[in-house]
């Protein structure tokens, strides 16, 4: 993929995104959602769209997004508009999984996760990112392995491999209003440490100079 022109790489991403929009699974409660085909070395991996994202046609379009973009502004001064224009935004699952009987967002099934894995593999092959930012426990486990605890990785830079690409990983907790992890210790301190690491990372500095 590295030998392709910029136009060819954008076209390849657009092809992946056409396939994403065509994805339908019985458990999904909404249509697939994706961001723009941004050529970026920074790859943000969310968990899944929420109930509002399909209406707006973009990831992190509701309450969690406001918190996430406030973190980015605090970390390196990026506006939401600039962030969306310079970072590729993907997700473990590309459509809203629906609600549980208790009213919370349903955790995607292994089959639903697997159905989107090929999209991620193709996106990484096209982009060859050097920095991956998984947001939330599900996304972190998909990048760093099942059972990875937030307090083990948030606030650190982890070097690893993601879909065949050698990457740095800077994990963030999920910015959901339902989450309290980043509002109390040690999560509060670890989040601030993660945001400092993110803001000083060479790929972020290159993208937002």
């Amino acid at each position: 993929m590295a030998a392709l022109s910029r136009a060819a790489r954008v076209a390849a991403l657009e092809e992946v995104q056409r396939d994403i929009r065509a994805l339908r699974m019985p458990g999904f409660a909404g249509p697939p959602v994706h961001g723009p085909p941004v050529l970026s070395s920074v790859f943000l991996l969310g968990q899944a769209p929420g109930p509002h994202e399909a209406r707006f046609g973009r990831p992190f379009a509701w309450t969690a997004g406001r918190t996430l973009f406030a973190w980015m502004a605090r970390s390196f001064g990026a506006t939401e508009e600039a962030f969306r224009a310079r970072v590729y935004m993907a997700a473990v699952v590309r459509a809203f999984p629906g609600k549980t009987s208790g009213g919370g967002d349903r955790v995607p099934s292994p089959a639903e996760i697997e159905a989107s894995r090929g999209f991620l593999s193709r996106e990484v092959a096209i982009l060859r990112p050097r920095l991956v930012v998984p947001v939330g426990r599900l996304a972190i486990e998909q990048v760093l392995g099942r059972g990875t605890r937030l307090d083990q990785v948030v606030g650190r830079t982890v070097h690893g491999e993601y879909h065949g690409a050698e990457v740095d990983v800077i994990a963030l907790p999920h910015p959901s209003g339902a989450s309290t992890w980043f509002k109390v210790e040690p999560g509060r301190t670890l989040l601030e440490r993660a945001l400092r690491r993110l803001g000083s990372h060479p790929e972020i500095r290159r993208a937002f100079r």
Side-chain angles (χ1 to χ4, degrees), residues 29 47-53 62 64 95-108 138 174 176-178:
Q47 298 190 149
H52 301 284
E53 272 68 18
W62 201 243
F96 176 46
K99 295 286 188 179
T100 66
S101 58
D105 290 356
R106 181 175 65 81
V107 176
L138 178 64
H174 200 280
S176 165

Side-chain angles (χ1 to χ4, degrees), residues 45 92 117 120 130-163 165-173 194:
L45 183 69
V92 174
R117 194 181 307 278
L120 291 167
R130 292 183 285 274
L131 172 62
V132 173
V133 183
V135 180
R137 192 183 309 275
L138 178 64
I140 291 168
E141 287 189 340
Q142 293 300 307
V143 177
L144 296 176
R146 288 180 60 83
T148 302
R149 298 200 321 262
L150 293 179
D151 61 0
Q152 291 176 316
V153 293
V154 175
R156 298 174 53 206
T157 302
V158 180
H159 305 282
E161 182 178 296
Y162 183 59
H163 287 288
E166 294 290 331
V167 297
D168 288 341
V169 179
I170 299 179
L172 296 176

Side-chain angles (χ1 to χ4, degrees), residues 1-2 4 9 13 43 118-129 162-165:
M1 290 293 181
L4 294 178
R9 292 169 71 208
L13 285 176
F43 191 94
F119 302 140
L120 291 167
S121 178
R122 292 163 65 191
E123 289 163 327
V124 170
I126 294 162
L127 293 166
R128 305 303 296 178
Y162 183 59
H163 287 288

Side-chain angles (χ1 to χ4, degrees), residues 176-192:
S176 165
S179 172
T180 60
W181 187 89
F182 61 87
K183 300 173 184 176
V184 298
E185 298 298 348
R188 187 190 322 223
T189 295
L190 294 177
L191 170 62
E192 292 305 317

Side-chain angles (χ1 to χ4, degrees), residues 69-80 82-83 86 195 199 204 208:
F69 295 119
W71 290 350
M72 298 304 106
R74 195 158 85 238
S75 176
F76 49 91
T79 64
E80 176 179 346
F83 189 89
R86 301 179 195 182
L195 295 179
I204 290 291
F208 292 90

